[in-house]
Amino acid sequence: MTNFFDKLRKLIQLDTKPALETAVPPIALTDTAVADLMRQVDETEADQYSCAETSALLDEYVELVQSEQDAATLMPLVERHLVHCPNCREHYDILLTILQTE
Amino acid sequence: MAQRTNEQWINELQTSGPAHDAAVADLLNILSSGLRRGLLSQVNTSAPEFETQAEDFAQEALLKILANIKSFAGRSKFTTWAHKIAVSVALTELRRKRWQDHSLDGMMDDGGGDYTPSLAADKAPAPENAAERAETMTHVARLIEEALTEKQRTALVASVIEGATTNEIAQKMAMNPNAVYKLLHDARLRLKRSLAQEGLTPADIINVFR
Ligand SMILES: [Zn+2]
């Protein structure tokens, strides 16, 4: 932890650049906002799927779920996107309902 | 209704004549019935316009399906793929309407977000490491200002500080929600890389606020 603050202080001392020319409104962070953001940042991976990539595979994924196969293991990137994206999750939930009530 | 294999669906939808017409009629039935079942929890299905609405969505989906039929890769049942397109059509329209209604309500009850800005938590007695917290926060704010593009910053601030949902940000920035999702993803990835360049990890920062 000490190491972390040493690094951070050095970085802040380096930050003596002149103020930005365009006035950027100050960012009103709170402890909670920073912690939430860092949790999100921590989970962000370069190879995460976009909505379009997820949508392209959603029919295949939902059939795996419906047939009780291990969809999360077979298509982990789709599963991961669905955890983080409420819009795609809603699409998935409705699609699954349709198949399950056929 | 005739049971069809994927191949039969594709062939019949692409021919002309009675087989085509029957396949179109069956598919429309399948899609509007699916939408009625799937959207039960989403909309007020007792509203008289719901029946017509499901049929309109199915019609619109049919046009998309026919236009994109060559892109069907056969990895699922044809009807699952078709349902997926119909749900996408319906959700696009319903989300647009939700927004109109939302604006009419004068932005009152939003209810959509799962994020509650927890000001209460921040009013707790000052933690022992208050100075470190303040320093860390200044540094994160600076990263947000310097490492991100203006668009990324706007979206991220709306998401993290104002607690706006992807759909709300999309509306505000006149963008499509999928593009906002991507924008936020890219913003977080940039922050992660900027931290890494400084030899820091998100976990280091989370620890300060524990
Ligand atoms: Zn998505």
Side-chain angles (χ1 to χ4, degrees), chain A residues 51 81 85 88:
Chain A
C51 295
H81 184 90
C85 179
C88 289

Side-chain angles (χ1 to χ4, degrees), chain A:
Chain A
M1 211 65 244
T2 325
N3 184 25
F4 167 70
F5 283 110
D6 290 346
K7 270 186 205 164
L8 195 64
R9 289 202 180 102
K10 247 182 234 157
L11 290 165
I12 289 172
Q13 278 158 13
L14 290 175
D15 283 340
T16 45
K17 295 175 196 163
L20 292 174
E21 286 176 19
T22 45
V24 180
I27 298 174
L29 286 170
T30 61
D31 288 7
T32 326
V34 174
D36 286 349
L37 173 63
M38 285 302 133
R39 269 186 282 274
Q40 291 169 3
V41 167
D42 201 24
E43 287 177 358
T44 302
E45 301 293 343
D47 65 351
Q48 231 161 284
Y49 270 173
S50 66
C51 295
E53 287 166 319
T54 305
S55 175
L57 297 170
L58 201 57
D59 45 343
E60 194 180 346
Y61 184 85
V62 93
E63 284 188 353
L64 288 176
V65 174
Q66 197 215 2
S67 59
E68 292 176 354
Q69 296 183 66
D70 190 356
T73 306
L74 293 170
M75 301 176 80
L77 293 178
V78 174
E79 195 257 354
R80 206 174 158 72
H81 184 90
L82 292 178
V83 170
H84 294 289
C85 179
N87 282 350
C88 289
R89 179 79 202 185
E90 187 179 30
H91 194 174
Y92 160 82
D93 285 337
I94 295 173
L95 197 52
L96 186 62
T97 305
I98 292 174
L99 295 198
Q100 286 176 337
T101 52
E102 242 166 12

